[in-house]
Amino acid sequence: MDFYDKDLVSIRDLSREDIEYILDLSKQMVPYALGEKVHRALDGRILGNLFFEPSTRTKLSFESAAHRLGCDVIDVSEMSMTSIAKGETLADTIRMVDAYCDVIVLRHPYEGAARLAADVSINPVINAGDGAGSHPTQMLLDLFTMKEAKGSLDGLNVTLLGDLKYGRTVHTLAQALTMFGVNLTLVAPESLQMPDDIVGRLKEKGCLKKQTDNIEDVISDSDVLYVTRIQRERFPDPAEYQKVADTYRIDNNLLRSARDDMIIMHPLPRVNEIATEVDSTPHARYFQQAFNGVPVRMAILCAILGGEMQ
Ligand code: NCD
């Protein structure tokens, strides 16, 4: 797809070629993301950052990516600070913000919110997470991190661990990985397994290797271990959360059975699913992954807003 002036709402908007294009562009952005080179490819443009759910990395890395390209940012982080608190609909809020900027980045607790925003907005909308739905920019930085670490995505053994039911990062990532012939192992407590529709798509593509609730059985066979937080805020019943809280934890003892070159990723924030002792091992890749949000989001903004890097 030609990204120029297009929305980025779900994995369904992307082909393997599109993903490869963004990953290649992201690589070129790294020296700019580090501040070693300067390029104001988006000078005079305005990004509208609308975050109606908590965020540290996604919001700040979009801001950092915009600033590194000379793009200005306007933002709202609290629904209570907008006219939504006075009863305005999301659609009307989006129409207004649309008039004040050139691209909208939206995070919202409701699945489908980004699609609705894209339908009413004239300018492009980038989905920065809609409930348990999609998180396509996180998926792109996750793939970039895997590719940088492993050289290629094709044929990797990737294990997704944790809250596969409510985690939007793993919903999006699992489907993207099928485009690269990855072998996927899904590890989750019984009640937090991947939704059936996504499992069905993984099976159709021949990418599902195993589903289990025991990480110890599969860690030795993994090239990438992608750990997630249990999404407490999405549980309709807090008692259900308590039943699964702390059911898995990666520590150095468990890592003794891992391959030396296995990398551990996590979209962050972590709660206690990865012991801090793991941070100083060569397996830990999650802080690098968080940095990668900047070059990857620079690439996405340039592709959508038409910023020339040459
Ligand atoms: C994730 C999210 O918001 O879905 N965080 C992120 O964007 N880096 C994961 C999470 O909140 O657990």
Side-chain angles (χ1 to χ4, degrees), residues 156-167:
L156 285 177
N157 289 316
V158 177
T159 298
L160 305 180
L161 168 67
D163 186 348
L164 309 185
K165 179 177 182 183
Y166 295 117

Side-chain angles (χ1 to χ4, degrees), residues 39-48 62-74 101-103 301-302 305:
H39 201 305
R40 301 182 65 82
L42 298 179
D43 199 11
R45 316 302 290 279
I46 300 177
L47 177 149
F62 260 115
E63 271 176 38
S64 176
H67 288 310
R68 292 283 191 203
L69 292 164
C71 180
D72 286 322
V73 179
I74 55 173
C101 63
D102 303 304
V103 60
L301 291 177
C302 262
L305 290 172

Side-chain angles (χ1 to χ4, degrees), residues 34-54:
L34 289 166
E36 292 166 3
K37 286 185 179 177
V38 176
H39 201 305
R40 301 182 65 82
L42 298 179
D43 199 11
R45 316 302 290 279
I46 300 177
L47 177 149
N49 236 356
L50 293 185
F51 276 71
F52 296 140
E53 258 194 353

Side-chain angles (χ1 to χ4, degrees), residues 57-58 107 135 138 168-169 229 231 267-269:
R57 278 147 293 271
T58 308
R107 169 168 289 186
H135 198 347
Q138 178 73 41
R168 57 193 169 200
T169 67
R229 170 181 74 89
Q231 310 278 297
L268 302 177

